[in-house]
Amino acid sequence: MLATENLDTLEAGPFDGAFSNFSGLNCVENLEDVSRDVAQLLRPKADFDLYDGRFVPVEIIWFLLHGKT
């Protein structure tokens, strides 16, 4: 496993695309560094799909249905 902040140490690529999910980018202190590192790992015009956010309706519904607040 590799921390998001250490993408610059990855010896692979270029990749056809990348994605982020489960709000992993919310824990990163410097998004500029991460965006630079991701861009260097991707082919030109590659996709970067971002399934991320601080407000996640599905997660809120799950916790409400299970009686957790």
Side-chain angles (χ1 to χ4, degrees), residues 13-19 37-48:
F15 295 100
D16 294 327
F19 74 95
D37 295 340
V38 169
Q40 290 177 350
L41 291 169
L42 297 177
R43 296 185 195 281
K45 299 192 179 194
D47 288 331
F48 180 42

Side-chain angles (χ1 to χ4, degrees), residues 1-67:
M1 187 179 316
L2 181 69
T4 304
E5 295 87 353
N6 297 330
L7 285 176
D8 61 333
T9 66
L10 190 62
E11 295 181 17
F15 295 100
D16 294 327
F19 74 95
S20 173
N21 60 3
F22 300 113
S23 300
L25 295 177
N26 286 340
C27 300
V28 173
E29 285 189 36
N30 191 332
L31 287 174
E32 289 181 27
D33 288 347
V34 172
S35 63
R36 182 198 63 238
D37 295 340
V38 169
Q40 290 177 350
L41 291 169
L42 297 177
R43 296 185 195 281
K45 299 192 179 194
D47 288 331
F48 180 42
D49 297 327
L50 181 61
Y51 302 100
D52 197 70
R54 297 179 193 274
F55 178 74
V56 183
V58 173
E59 187 176 89
I60 293 169
I61 291 168
W62 187 91
F63 278 101
L64 289 174
L65 290 173
H66 289 87

